[in-house]
Amino acid sequence: GKSVLSFGILRILDDAGKVTSGSITFAGMDMLGASESALQEVRGREISMIFQNPRTALNPIRRIGRQIEDVLATHTSTLREDMKKKAIEALAKVRIPDPERRYSAYPFELSGGQCQRVMIALALACNPQLLIADEPTTGLDVTTQAAILALISELARERKMATILITHDLAM
């Protein structure tokens, strides 16, 4: 139900899913009554999500840098000639080692922790007001889990960004 709720907030539920009662309001906007075009303006730019499994959320045949550029092109007015620089900056912000080289990497060339950092970079590329982190440490070793949570917490404080953390791990 936790992940389904986050999908409901963004209105990205599977066709079989439907919100039948209640309300979801973000920055004064009725998310349930908003048009698809209005939602497109909010998704990625104002509300962003780190999906549960980065290996399936990342496009396996597109380079990491291009995937970040896609987000920037869709949700910002970043000039084409500045896209690569911004994508590399996004990778550096989440402490990807050698971000210039990783920009050209495919997801299969990265570790699980690095893929999770790429997902965070994608989610934060447009400086959202709200970050939904759906099980952001699933499948990672304990040390990497701690590093990912510290990174999300630090970036949320730095950006004054609200965060919804979805997890089964109560100790987290």
Side-chain angles (χ1 to χ4, degrees), residues 3 18 38 42 47 52-55 74 77 81 85 89 97 104-106 109 111 125 128-129 131 135 138 150 164:
S3 296
K18 183 179 178 185
V42 171
I47 303 175
Q52 193 169 121
N53 186 343
R55 293 267 184 220
T74 301
S77 57
E81 58 266 19
K85 178 182 168 223
E89 286 173 2
S104 299
Y106 290 98
E109 297 176 302
S111 70
Q129 294 176 25
L131 174 67
E135 296 282 355
T138 298
I164 297 173

Side-chain angles (χ1 to χ4, degrees), residues 37-100:
S37 63
L39 289 170
Q40 288 294 349
E41 289 294 315
V42 171
R43 287 187 206 121
R45 182 180 299 165
E46 303 296 328
I47 303 175
S48 198
M49 185 165 176
I50 301 170
F51 291 94
Q52 193 169 121
N53 186 343
R55 293 267 184 220
T56 58
L58 293 169
N59 186 332
I61 60 169
R62 265 181 88 61
R63 296 180 190 275
I64 295 301
R66 293 292 185 181
Q67 293 185 56
I68 296 171
E69 287 181 13
D70 292 343
V71 169
L72 293 169
T74 301
H75 300 293
T76 71
S77 57
T78 303
L79 299 174
R80 189 92 206 109
E81 58 266 19
D82 295 333
M83 291 282 186
K84 182 174 182 177
K85 178 182 168 223
K86 292 278 188 193
I88 291 170
E89 286 173 2
L91 292 171
K93 270 275 194 217
V94 297
R95 300 187 191 107
I96 290 278
D98 197 1
E100 293 83 5

